[in-house]
Amino acid sequence: MSAYEEEIEVGGALRRGLGLNRRQFLAATTGVATAVAAVTATGAIGPAAHAATSNHPNGVLIPPRRRGIILYTVRDAISRDPNSTPLPSGFRRVFEELGRIGYRQVEFAGYNQHANSEGGASLESVDGARLLRGWLDDNGLRAQGNHGFIPGSWPFTQPDLDRFKQHLEIAQILGMEHMGTGNDPTGSAYKADWDVAADKWNQLGAIARDAGIKLYTHNHDVAYSFLLDSGPLDAQGRPTRSSGIRRLEYFLQISDRRTVFLEMDIFWAHVAQYKHRTFTAPDGSVQTDIFDPLSVVRPNTKRFPLFHAKDGKSNPATANGYDMVPFGTGDIDYATFFRCVGARGSHNPMYEQDNAPGGTANPGQSLQYAELSYNNMAALRG
């Protein structure tokens, strides 16, 4: 681990030159570490698990340089008129605030901002990418991915391929290692459609690899529901029952592991655990299978270079079983997940909260939540 990764964090911002050596600082923060280790099984970590993570320096599960945020979380700040508020607005000022908080990575969700922001409304161009790259560099931030354009046509049309390649060029300028989408590979339940999706993504992944970029797809809960791949056929000749494999697990098997990668949205994976528990087997019996997100990632850990670290508080009264909340304030067992996922320190967790914007009632809320979530991410220990 580099000296950069070894830096101790206080209050979410990197502190240097405080006059404390590492031993003194650790002694001063022993109470915090003890409190984390004392979390009960409902919060995830017991003494035995804590002892098992002694190979993590200071128990840190997400190294400082890996702590990121997807900009969709603060989309309200990026898109608001800088002439109407003193709050950070537009890409440049939001980057300044995220850098101040301590984030070191961002994932884009498109390249648009308010027209009155520096650079104009759209930065989806080579020149726009250069401008963004300068602002990222100025604030110690690295672009790690983008939820951007993936061709919808199949077979691909030339205009779609040209636009895809333009996005790869933008990603190169921004210094991204990854480029992807916020959607599932297909919304279909049927095996034949997932076969097509794999062919499509294999071709796109090969193009991205030639550009030095890893192409990734994303999940919502339905992608981890059960694939319809067997049993009697319906009137359209489609299968009506399942062998028990989940849709995205099948996609993992048939897509090219050298060119196609995934970003697990951990919140939606836990919603799948809550919602998608049974399937009708080929013999007509109803089978129960509880989804374990970690069991999918662990044997394929190198194919999951990014995560959405989106937290949820259990609420059985809702359809999803969870309410979205700032990172570290929910029930999802992130300590165990990051402790057990493998390839320690190589993943890129991006804090996301779809409902972070506070609207007119609290226009600063999304950045407030970003700071709270960063602090909780920095405090996460094994």
Side-chain angles (χ1 to χ4, degrees), residues 79-112:
S79 63
R80 65 185 161 216
D81 185 351
N83 297 335
S84 66
T85 176
L87 294 170
S89 307
F91 281 115
R92 184 172 190 172
R93 301 307 174 196
V94 169
F95 289 168
E96 290 174 358
E97 181 64 8
L98 296 177
R100 180 199 67 78
I101 289 170
Y103 285 103
R104 290 296 171 261
Q105 299 197 124
V106 299
E107 182 181 20
F108 282 85
Y111 302 111
N112 294 325

Side-chain angles (χ1 to χ4, degrees), residues 29-51 53 58-61 328 333-336 339 375-382:
T29 56
T30 298
V32 175
T34 301
V36 173
V39 175
T40 65
T42 57
I45 297 294
H50 185 272
T53 64
N58 308 315
V60 172
L61 291 176
D333 186 356
Y334 274 99
T336 294
R339 177 174 59 83
N375 291 342
N376 290 335
M377 190 179 284
L380 193 66
R381 298 290 187 271

Side-chain angles (χ1 to χ4, degrees), residues 79-162:
S79 63
R80 65 185 161 216
D81 185 351
N83 297 335
S84 66
T85 176
L87 294 170
S89 307
F91 281 115
R92 184 172 190 172
R93 301 307 174 196
V94 169
F95 289 168
E96 290 174 358
E97 181 64 8
L98 296 177
R100 180 199 67 78
I101 289 170
Y103 285 103
R104 290 296 171 261
Q105 299 197 124
V106 299
E107 182 181 20
F108 282 85
Y111 302 111
N112 294 325
Q113 60 179 355
H114 194 279
N116 289 335
S117 295
E118 186 175 351
S122 176
L123 297 176
E124 188 180 303
S125 65
V126 168
D127 289 341
R130 290 178 179 139
L131 198 59
L132 287 167
R133 177 62 184 269
W135 297 338
L136 290 167
D137 291 347
D138 289 345
N139 293 286
L141 295 168
R142 179 175 185 178
Q144 194 57 260
N146 177 43
H147 282 192
F149 175 74
I150 298 295
S153 59
W154 181 258
F156 301 127
T157 65
Q158 193 58 50
D160 272 358
L161 278 179
D162 290 343

